[in-house]
Amino acid sequence: MKLRQLAVVALVALPVAAWAETPNITPGSWEFVSTTTVSGDMPIPDQTDTEQQCITQEDLDDADLGFIEEEEGCELLDQDTSADGLSYSMVCRADGGEANIDGDMRFMGERIEGSVDIMTQSPMGELNMQTQIEGQRLGDC
């Protein structure tokens, strides 16, 4: 699994069926900006990605909205969800390496903020990835 794919895996979408109540997210068109900084044995330049998506009330009501994707080789260790946020820990193992992932998202109506920290051990050495995520509602879909 490539390092970049691992970051995307950690950020984007496992349906979260454990919502006790509807997330504090206003439906509409959203823009998410993520900035990833990597430190460790292998130099990798900072990367910023921007993604837009439509979040509907149906997505929120059906608990189909999620921020974690559990792929093959990954195990979700801990998850705490509430209307105001989500925090989780997971571990992924592939190609002789291991990644420990800790994430935290805060839902504030028309804004979302969060971070994902990934510590990897691989045959190429140790890498630490810190990703800051900011989401802003742009308007209706």
Side-chain angles (χ1 to χ4, degrees), residues 19 21-30 53-66 83 109-110 137 139-141:
W19 290 115
E21 50 193 301
T22 303
N24 182 16
I25 299 172
T26 304
S29 176
W30 282 77
Q53 75 179 77
C54 178
I55 298 174
T56 67
Q57 185 62 48
E58 184 176 272
D59 292 331
L60 299 170
D61 291 343
D62 291 343
D64 286 337
L65 179 70
E110 295 196 359
R137 184 177 183 276
D140 294 334
C141 295

Side-chain angles (χ1 to χ4, degrees), residues 29-30 32 48 52 70 72 74 80 91 111-112 114 121 138:
S29 176
W30 282 77
F32 294 93
T48 299
Q52 289 188 4
E70 191 171 5
E72 185 176 337
C74 295
D80 183 23
V91 64
R111 290 185 41 236
I112 295 174
Q121 297 286 338
L138 302 175

Side-chain angles (χ1 to χ4, degrees), residues 32 34 45 50 59 85 119:
F32 294 93
S34 62
T50 302
D59 292 331
M119 175 63 78

Side-chain angles (χ1 to χ4, degrees), residues 4-16 19 32-34 36 49-53 55 63-71 79 86 88 90 101 103 105 107 115-116 118 131 133:
R4 189 71 190 139
Q5 289 173 323
L6 187 57
V8 173
V9 165
L11 297 174
V12 193
L14 162 81
V16 180
W19 290 115
F32 294 93
V33 178
S34 62
T36 301
D49 294 308
T50 302
E51 174 186 323
Q52 289 188 4
Q53 75 179 77
I55 298 174
D64 286 337
L65 179 70
F67 292 93
I68 313 165
E69 184 174 324
E70 191 171 5
E71 294 221 348
Q79 177 177 319
L86 162 69
Y88 64 94
M90 63 190 307
I101 303 163
M105 303 293 292
F107 308 141
S115 63
V116 177
I118 304 173
T131 301
I133 304 151

